[in-house]
Every structure is written in C-alpha cells, then in structure tokens.
Amino acid sequence: ETGVTQTPRHLVMGMTNKKSLKCEQHLGHNAMYWYKQSAKKPLELMFVYNFKEQTENNSVPSRFSPECPNSSHLFLHLHTLQPEDSALYLCASSKGQDSNQPQHFGDGTRLSIL
Amino acid sequence: RKEVEQDPGPFNVPEGATVAFNCTYSNSASQSFFWYRQDCRKEPKLLMSVYSSGNEDGRFTAQLNRASQYISLLIRDSKLSDSATYLCVVGYSSASKIIFGSGTRLSIRP
C-alpha cells in the first residue's frame, strides 16, 4: 500500500560484508532521502537527492555510499560497517526538496551488524 | 538547545480521553510544520500538516503559535489505535531542510 518500497526488510551482515539497500518510489516524486533511526534517537538525515543529483551529505562516513540512477530509485551501498551502524534505515521521497513538501516513507530496512 | 524539542512521554491516558502535546522549535525562520505518527517498528506516516490558522482533521487538531515558537497536537476521544509515537517536523525553506523531533510516545489504555 505504500508508494515507497524498500528491500530487504531485514538484513543481518558481518562487518566485512558488502550489501546494498534498495528504495523505489512510485509517486512521481523528484526528491529522495536516506535516514537512519537508532533506538530512542530522532531520525538522522543521511543523504538527499533532488532530480538524481546529490544535494546533501550529512557528514556520513564513507562506508555508506548512496547511488541514485534515476528519480525513482535510490540505493545505499554498505561495506565494512560497524556494530553501531545497526539501526532502521528509512528511505523517503517528496515532490521536491522544498521543505513545504511532506515526505513519504518506505517501511525501512532493519539492519543488524554482527 | 535542540532545534526541535518534544516531551518524550510516555503519555498514558484512558480510551476516550483528550490528550495534547506540544513541540517547541528554536529557529524563528521555520516555515513549515507537520505531525507524523510512527507505530512501533514501522515507518513514520504523515498525520497532518500544520497551518498558521490551525487545522482540524476529524479528532485531531493542530495549532501553530509563532510568537512562542511551538506547535501542538490535540487528540479528542482517543482510541486504542492512537497509541503510537508522534513526531513533530519543522521545515526551513531557506535551507530546504526539515528537522524531526525525537517524538512523544502515546499509550491509550482500555
């Protein structure tokens, strides 16, 4: 029912693995976002893409690498993650990057680093 | 001081009660305001935008007080299904930036 689809829903990986999170939106939006949500903490914005171009990188470590091939798809490539990277990773989209536009979220990927 | 602050709760109220919580923001240049709800282990979902004149959607009423820099959410005739975390979101057009609060946990008991 959600217009923003994330896969996988759950991911368990070792610190030396490489994996990717995928997000797809079917809402015709032009802006897409990656957020991290750790327990008892507010949502932390990681990256923003507007019309496929990265417009914000919120001082995210290089072990997280985003990719936006088009306005409908967003990936987050992961490698050499740390245990503290275990969290819920949420993708969102909005019509534009204008802060007046509400964001629509995917179900999230729950990531556990062993 | 945090840019967006919310009382974390939990607010524990009986079904049918009216409950209200506030969210304060520090930047007077803030221009857009939203309330989202987030159920346990689920994604945030837009509940309502908050307009300058205040707005109502069924049992939910949102208000904006620019002078005191806070927004509020009032829930009347609360239902068990209203149990969730309510996130306050504040946007700054000049920076195309939005900030999420940490959320207020609401628990409705039978």
Side-chain angles (χ1 to χ4, degrees):
Chain A
E1 72 200 355
T2 177
V4 181
T5 306
Q6 287 187 245
T7 54
R9 294 291 304 276
H10 302 273
L11 179 61
V12 179
M13 57 187 284
M15 289 192 283
T16 57
N17 292 157
K18 285 186 182 182
K19 295 284 184 186
S20 296
L21 310 186
K22 180 182 174 183
C23 176
E24 184 175 357
Q25 58 96 1
H26 313 276
L27 301 169
H29 289 168
N30 296 309
M32 294 187 78
Y33 311 79
W34 278 118
Y35 287 89
K36 175 184 178 183
Q37 190 174 37
S38 304
K40 300 191 191 305
K41 286 188 177 180
L43 281 163
E44 299 171 50
L45 179 65
M46 299 175 73
F47 302 103
V48 182
Y49 278 81
N50 198 29
F51 291 97
K52 302 191 305 177
E53 300 299 319
Q54 188 180 119
T55 55
E56 192 157 341
N57 175 337
N58 210 20
S59 303
V60 181
S62 59
R63 57 186 185 269
F64 295 91
S65 173
E67 179 191 357
C68 188
N70 55 61
S71 292
S72 300
H73 293 85
L74 187 63
F75 295 89
L76 188 63
H77 304 300
L78 317 169
H79 77 98
T80 327
L81 294 194
Q82 305 299 309
E84 62 265 27
D85 296 325
S86 298
L88 178 67
Y89 288 84
L90 290 158
C91 172
S93 70
S94 61
K95 280 186 184 174
Q97 201 182 334
D98 188 333
S99 64
N100 288 327
Q101 301 292 334
Q103 294 180 13
H104 299 261
F105 286 83
D107 293 339
T109 294
R110 192 159 294 279
L111 177 66
S112 298
I113 306 300
L114 302 178
Chain B
R1 186 185 170 187
K2 290 182 186 173
E3 288 185 87
V4 177
E5 287 204 70
Q6 293 184 252
D7 182 339
F11 285 62
N12 191 330
V13 302
E15 199 174 1
T18 294
V19 61
F21 25 85
N22 291 341
C23 164
T24 58
Y25 58 95
S26 60
N27 191 330
S28 59
S30 304
Q31 293 174 291
S32 53
F33 308 89
F34 307 94
W35 282 106
Y36 281 72
R37 75 170 273 167
Q38 186 172 23
D39 293 288
C40 188
R41 303 181 76 81
K42 295 279 187 100
E43 79 278 16
K45 290 185 178 172
L46 179 67
L47 181 65
M48 57 200 303
S49 302
V50 185
Y51 303 120
S52 296
S53 54
N55 47 303
E56 193 174 305
D57 183 0
R59 299 181 292 108
F60 298 83
T61 301
Q63 297 276 358
L64 167 62
N65 186 317
R66 284 197 186 273
S68 301
Q69 294 185 200
Y70 72 86
I71 64 171
S72 63
L73 180 67
L74 178 84
I75 306 175
R76 287 182 300 278
D77 187 24
S78 53
K79 312 288 184 195
L80 295 175
S81 57
D82 294 333
S83 297
T85 296
Y86 290 83
L87 303 171
C88 167
V89 180
V90 175
Y92 308 91
S93 290
S94 58
S96 293
K97 180 179 170 183
I98 69 169
I99 308 286
F100 281 79
S102 303
T104 295
R105 245 182 71 209
L106 174 66
S107 179
I108 308 297
R109 63 179 188 271

